[in-house]
């Protein structure tokens, strides 16, 4: 089996890292490429850049980001945000990115996933899903009806616009399954409930999706300490863990994360 | 493809001068040749034949020029592949390329895997056996024992690095394998001499 992966995630707005500039020793802490080089040196297995530039001019900035990253960083990296077409994907892959991540564009037009997979191969296509737990009660529960078999904590809605808007008629597990059937080769699964909380990944969500799809799942949202990374893999069934603030704010290094995973018996590159 | 650009940049990073292209004069003058590659085997061979690059590569290989195949580029070194109905390869090395035998596992195999060196080689000098490299592949070369340089495990133990005289190939992506990959490319550049433009 491939080694389990630790993936720092960089949110980029207009070419600058948005959060996490608490690093010493960087010439320019807001430069995503310099931060990426640092993570590569520390042992990151891959990188994910999520462009959150609001404007429609974002394609230029992500292509430039991919080009500068490929010039300086020699591990696989994914670019997400602003990919809406095969042409958008082609531009960032040509610039040196290894994968593209799509989220709302695939929800708006699911065929995009097959188009990307046909053109570039499923290994280049990541479906990013922002999920939020729907309700405390199982959907069919009533005073006279117990939870249905297999119910273990609820269902998760699919959200767009930073978790502000629920996509009608979609739930995270079945959307993950459909996205993979359409051609996504990997699922980047973010718990909007846990994102930014430091309470740990949503292990039930991670497990539910990991059990539902035959491709790797990257757990995201909520890592606050290193044991959370091990939990996501050992309990959640994730193939990789995505982290942002735990690394950006200098709380832990990627190397420390790898050591912890190895100590917990998880095979990693270190 | 982005792969080409990444290989070029990684070579620059180890102070080798790289040129991308299939220009026959460039290929003739290069101190070393790198065959990168993403995509499907039959189409890649079609394009190599259409540009006459196959004869040129054979000529350079016979002249002792170091040649490194990366990923699909490694597979092209062999006699044939079964991918997409099958096709003839360059035939610089004996053997054929077939699907990974990994029952119950996802194919393509994507990710970092420890690579075991099966013998010493200038290509892997300074890189400990067991160092992980980054792989993305569905097919593997079935090679004669004396050409095996390195192996990795995915359902089966498969050959992921080959060497015969001046011909080298790696199934993994050194340009995406961080410091170890750069070291390997640097070793190849050193084998090519002081200046090391690479084409193909």
């Amino acid at each position: 089996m491939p080694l389990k992966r630790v993936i720092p995630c960089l949110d980029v707005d207009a070419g600058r890292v948005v959060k996490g500039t608490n690093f010493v020793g960087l010439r320019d802490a807001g430069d995503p490429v310099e931060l990426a080089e640092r993570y590569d040196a520390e042992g990151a297995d891959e990188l994910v850049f999520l462009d959150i530039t609001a404007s429609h001019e974002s394609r230029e900035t992500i292509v430039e980001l991919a080009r500068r990253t490929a010039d300086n960083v020699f591990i696989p990296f994914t670019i997400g945000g602003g990919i809406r077409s095969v042409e958008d994907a082609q531009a960032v892959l040509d610039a040196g990115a290894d994968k593209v991540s799509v989220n709302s564009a695939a929800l708006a037009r699911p065929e995009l996933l097959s188009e990307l997979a046909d053109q570039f191969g499923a290994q280049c296509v990541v479906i990013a899903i922002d999920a939020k737990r729907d309700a405390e009660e199982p959907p069919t529960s009533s005073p006279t009806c117990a939870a249905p078999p297999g119910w273990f904590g609820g269902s998760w809605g699919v959200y767009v616009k930073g978790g502000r808007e629920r996509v009608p008629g979609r739930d995270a597990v079945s959307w993950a399954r459909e996205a993979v059937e359409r051609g996504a080769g990997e699922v980047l699964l973010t718990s909007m409930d846990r994102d930014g909380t430091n309470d740990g990944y949503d292990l039930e969500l991670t497990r539910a999706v990991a059990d539902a799809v035959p491709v790797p799942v990257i757990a995201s949202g909520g890592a606050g300490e290193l044991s959370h990374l091990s939990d996501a893999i050992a309990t959640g069934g994730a193939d990789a863990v995505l982290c942002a603030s735990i690394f950006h704010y200098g709380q832990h290094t990627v190397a420390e994360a790898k050591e912890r995973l190895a100590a917990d018996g998880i095979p990693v590159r270190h | 493809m982005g792969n080409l650009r990444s290989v070029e940049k990684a070579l620059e990073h180890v102070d080798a001068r790289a040129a991308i292209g299939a220009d026959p004069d460039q290929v003739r003058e290069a101190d070393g040749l790198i065959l990168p590659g993403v995509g499907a085997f039959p189409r890649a061979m079609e394009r190599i034949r259409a540009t006459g690059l196959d004869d040129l590569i054979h000529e350079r290989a016979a002249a002792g020029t170091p040649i490194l195949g990366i990923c699909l580029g490694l597979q092209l070194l062999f006699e044939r592949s079964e991918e997409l109905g099958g096709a003839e390869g360059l035939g610089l090395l004996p053997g054929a390329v077939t699907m990974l035998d990994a029952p119950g596992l996802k194919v393509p195999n994507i990710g970092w895997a420890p690579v075991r060196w099966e013998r010493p080689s200038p290509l892997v000098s300074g890189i400990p056996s067991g160092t992980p490299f980054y792989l993305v592949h569905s097919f593997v070369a079935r090679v004669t024992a004396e050409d095996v340089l390195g192996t990795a495990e995915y359902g089966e133990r498969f050959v992921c690095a080959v060497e015969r005289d001046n011909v080298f190939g790696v199934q993994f992506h050194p340009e995406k394998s961080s410091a170890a990959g750069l070291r390997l490319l640097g070793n190849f550049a050193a084998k090519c001499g002081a200046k090391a433009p690479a084409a193909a």
Side-chain angles (χ1 to χ4, degrees):
Chain A
M1 289 297 286
L3 301 171
K4 302 297 181 188
R5 293 165 287 155
V6 175
I7 307 176
C9 177
L10 292 84
D11 287 348
V12 179
D13 186 1
R16 308 283 294 171
V17 177
V18 177
K19 54 184 174 184
T21 54
N22 206 13
F23 261 138
V24 283
L26 293 186
R27 289 184 303 275
D28 175 1
D31 177 22
V33 177
E34 199 174 345
L35 197 50
E37 284 181 84
R38 161 98 169 219
Y39 287 139
D40 178 2
E42 283 181 1
D45 298 303
E46 282 180 38
L47 297 167
V48 169
F49 296 91
L50 292 181
D51 188 87
I52 57 169
T53 310
S55 82
H56 284 289
E57 308 304 310
S58 63
R59 180 158 145 188
E60 279 298 298
T61 62
I62 57 175
V63 169
E64 178 57 21
L65 176 62
R67 190 174 294 126
R68 288 187 55 229
T69 304
D71 286 355
N72 297 286
V73 180
F74 301 101
I75 53 175
F77 68 95
T78 301
I79 297 238
I83 309 280
R84 290 183 176 79
S85 64
V86 166
E87 292 71 33
D88 289 341
Q90 183 87 59
V92 298
L93 294 171
D94 280 349
D98 296 275
K99 311 179 200 179
V100 292
S101 158
V102 289
N103 186 336
S104 51
L107 284 160
R109 207 173 62 79
E111 308 80 54
L112 175 63
L113 293 165
S114 337
E115 293 165 11
L116 292 171
D118 288 346
Q119 186 72 28
F120 309 112
Q123 80 282 351
C124 281
V125 185
V126 180
I127 180 69
I129 300 176
D130 291 343
K132 198 191 269 187
R133 196 177 284 264
D134 277 331
E136 290 305 310
E137 295 300 310
T140 57
S141 84
S142 74
T144 56
C145 175
W151 182 81
F152 53 82
S155 60
W156 295 267
V158 177
Y159 284 72
V160 289
K161 301 193 174 153
R164 292 193 303 277
E165 200 175 286
R166 191 187 195 288
V167 181
R170 289 282 186 197
D171 82 273
V173 176
S174 62
W175 171 231
R177 202 181 282 124
E178 178 183 336
V180 169
E181 279 164 9
R182 287 181 180 274
E186 197 161 41
V187 179
L188 168 48
L189 179 65
T190 301
S191 163
M192 303 306 289
D193 301 301
R194 296 300 180 89
D195 203 27
T197 65
N198 295 338
D199 290 342
Y201 298 96
D202 186 333
L203 299 179
E204 289 175 357
L205 168 67
T206 307
R207 173 53 76 181
V209 173
D211 285 348
V213 297
V215 302
V217 172
I218 306 168
S220 160
E225 49 190 86
L226 296 181
S227 64
H228 293 155
L229 278 54
S230 298
D231 293 343
I233 293 168
T235 309
D239 297 273
V241 283
L242 193 89
C243 306
S245 52
I246 195 172
F247 295 144
H248 295 336
Y249 294 111
Q251 194 181 342
H252 294 288
T253 64
V254 177
E256 286 167 3
K258 294 294 197 67
E259 279 163 28
R260 174 58 191 254
L261 289 169
D264 288 340
I266 293 165
V268 289
R269 162 182 165 260
H270 69 126
Chain B
M1 277 305 290
N3 180 251
L4 275 180
R5 184 181 159 77
S6 299
V7 172
E8 181 192 15
K9 291 298 165 186
L11 284 164
E12 282 175 13
H13 210 78
V14 296
D15 295 324
R17 202 160 49 82
I20 296 177
D23 172 44
D25 289 336
Q26 234 173 7
V27 173
R28 220 166 267 129
E29 284 163 20
D31 295 322
L33 299 179
I34 292 185
L35 284 171
V38 285
F41 190 105
R43 179 152 169 70
M45 276 313 300
E46 240 171 64
R47 289 176 60 180
I48 286 173
R49 288 211 183 84
T51 50
L53 216 50
D54 52 340
D55 290 339
L56 199 47
I57 291 169
H58 271 278
E59 190 185 309
R60 298 305 312 266
T65 305
I67 294 176
L68 174 64
I70 296 176
C71 196
L72 177 62
L74 166 142
Q75 298 175 10
L76 297 174
L77 298 174
F78 290 88
E79 292 165 305
R80 64 193 169 276
S81 168
E82 65 174 18
E83 186 177 4
L84 295 178
E88 300 286 310
L90 289 167
L92 286 175
L93 299 175
V97 176
T98 68
M99 193 89 166
L100 261 173
D101 184 21
L105 295 178
K106 301 157 194 168
V107 172
N109 169 29
I110 304 174
W112 295 85
V115 174
R116 188 171 81 198
W117 308 129
E118 304 293 346
R119 57 164 148 142
S121 162
L123 190 68
V124 301
S125 146
I127 307 169
S129 189
T131 299
F133 283 84
Y134 186 75
L135 290 145
V136 182
H137 68 124
S138 303
F139 290 83
V140 289
R142 310 295 171 182
V143 326
T144 43
E146 68 257 37
D147 296 336
V148 176
L149 168 57
T151 60
E153 181 104 31
Y154 193 73
E156 57 172 327
R157 185 153 278 280
F158 65 92
V159 174
C160 65
V162 296
E163 174 182 7
R164 174 179 287 201
D165 304 323
N166 53 317
V167 177
F168 303 87
V170 290
Q171 183 61 62
F172 48 78
H173 286 276
E175 78 282 8
K176 291 290 176 181
S177 295
S178 198
L182 292 175
R183 177 69 197 249
L184 187 146
L185 290 171
N187 288 343
F188 179 73
K191 184 121 183 78
C192 299
K195 63 178 174 69

